Structure formats: structure tokens, C-alpha cells
Amino acid sequence: MRSLVHSLLVTALMIWSAVADLRYVATLEQDGRAVDASHIEFVKTPPLRHGRHGRHASSRRDANAKDNISYSDNWCGVSHRSTPSDPVSNIFGYFTVPDLKLRPGIPAPQFAAAWIGVDGAKCNSTMLQAGVTTVVNANGGQSASAWWEWFPEASYSIKGLTVKPGDWMSINITIKDERTARVVVTNAQRGYAITLALTEGPKLCRLDTEWILEDFYEKNAQVAFATFSDLWFLDVAATTVAGKTIGVDGAAMVHMKNETGSVLCWPEQWDSSNFVVLSGSG
């Protein structure tokens, strides 16, 4: 599947950000061919509080699974860390667009966001990420959309790209330096990829690597978090400047707990580059 990502080139659509100094150029390809990108729209929203935080930001070592279990009130998935002397240069992975069901006893609409990104954990002043958000309404109907964000700048929803629950997406982020990066968002199932060339972004630490399902914050409150079908992350890997590969082995396995201590979701490792996020009923 990864070869699909590298085969995609583009026709250009240029948009200059009005927020601070961040600038980006977006280009689009369908089935390996450059296509008109004039129908693509980037809808700016206030930056979301995506960072891992809260009452359950703690960790322990699981003696049986040999996992570094970490708890959060808004993240579940896998988080790893490099060092300042060998910063992250690339992160990649496939995942399924969240396929949701209503969680009993919680008002609709309900949400879940899956994404891949750099920084935002130990380095929580900045983060570059891209992913998808699915919403399920009171009647069980779902809709999904792709987005990207270089926190603390604005978040951008990508309008005009078809995204459906269960689709296979990939995110490929290459960091040239602490303020310059390229983000490729690919829907492997539908054959399109959008490439974002980003410059003058907020200064990255380039330390944290994450493959995450999130109950994000909006307007200073967490959105209602839905239940979901098993959500796989495949071929996950990050590369450092020195060429070291970072994956699932040795990473923090982040479990999400609510205020009553119920686990809402957690990852289970399959091997060194694949894992699944499971839904709890709490």
C-alpha cells in the first residue's frame, strides 16, 4: 500500500494562510494523475485542543504485556519519543476512518478523530498533524471529513474530498526543518492524494510521534465520544534524522479514561508496525 503514496504527484492550488506566518500550497492527484484542484476548499477553524492532557496523564509498566501503559482523558493509541540530538524527520501510517455507533446515555452528535502527528505529548507547545473526523447523528447516520493542523495555528477541514467510514487512509509527514514540512493525505481506497507544502509554521520540537484516536476538545469542552468498530493502524513508522526507525515496539500504549475511571478505548499491539484500537463501553 505504501507504494501508492510515493506514486502520487500533482496539479497546484495555492492558498496563503492569513494566520501569522504559516503558508501552504496544496496539490491534488487522482489515480496517479494530476487533476483540477479548484473544487478543494480549506475551511479554517480555531485550533483544537488536541494535546494529550488531563486527569489521567500518567503511566505504568504492565508486567504481563510488557507495555508502557499510559492514561489520558482524550487520547488512545500509540505515542513514542525521539531525542533532541536525533529529531524526527518523517512519520507514516495507514488507518481506517472511524466507523461509529452511538454510545448509550450520551447526547448526539458523537465524534471520534483518528490522526497521525509529530509533537503534542511531552512537547505540548506545538504539533503538526493530519487525520479524519467522523460524526454520528441521533439517527445513526455518519459523515466524515479530512483535516490538517499545525498547532497553535488554525485547523483546516479539507472540503471536496470524499471520505467515508471504513475507508483506508494514510498520512505521510516529512519534516525538512523545524518550520518547514510536507503532509500527504491519501485515501487509498478512493485513489486520491492531497499534498500540502507547509512553510513558516510554528517551531516544532520534532520529538513526539503519535498514531492516535481522540475525543477532542472544542470550545473548551470535550465532544461526546462515540463507540466504534475496531480501528487498525498499519505500517506505522517514524524515521529520525540519523535514520533510526521508531514504531510500536517500546512505545507508550495510551488508554483513554473518563472521569469515572472507565476505559473508553485502548490499543493492542499486533507486531512492531501494526496495532488495533478497541472501543470500551464505559
Side-chain angles (χ1 to χ4, degrees), residues 150-173:
W150 196 329
F151 182 85
E153 301 286 6
S155 177
Y156 290 87
S157 180
I158 308 172
K159 301 297 184 182
L161 296 180
T162 301
V163 180
K164 299 290 186 182
D167 283 358
W168 279 100
M169 305 289 294
S170 73
I171 304 295
N172 191 350
I173 300 175

Side-chain angles (χ1 to χ4, degrees), residues 126-201:
T126 183
M127 176 166 50
L128 176 58
Q129 57 183 166
V132 295
T133 297
T134 304
V135 55
V136 57
N137 297 312
N139 63 4
Q142 299 184 71
S143 60
S145 60
W147 52 267
W148 66 275
E149 179 180 40
W150 196 329
F151 182 85
E153 301 286 6
S155 177
Y156 290 87
S157 180
I158 308 172
K159 301 297 184 182
L161 296 180
T162 301
V163 180
K164 299 290 186 182
D167 283 358
W168 279 100
M169 305 289 294
S170 73
I171 304 295
N172 191 350
I173 300 175
T174 301
I175 302 169
K176 183 177 180 180
D177 59 47
E178 58 196 13
R179 299 193 66 190
T180 307
R182 184 187 69 173
V183 177
V184 182
V185 179
T186 301
N187 188 318
Q189 205 143 333
R190 301 181 188 277
Y192 68 73
I194 189 162
T195 299
L196 297 153
L198 308 174
T199 58
E200 302 302 322

Side-chain angles (χ1 to χ4, degrees), residues 43-65:
V43 180
K44 185 172 66 176
T45 61
L48 300 177
R49 290 174 56 201
H50 278 290
R52 174 180 161 202
H53 52 78
R55 295 171 295 278
H56 306 293
S58 60
S59 63
R60 66 176 176 84
R61 177 70 63 177
D62 188 309
N64 295 320

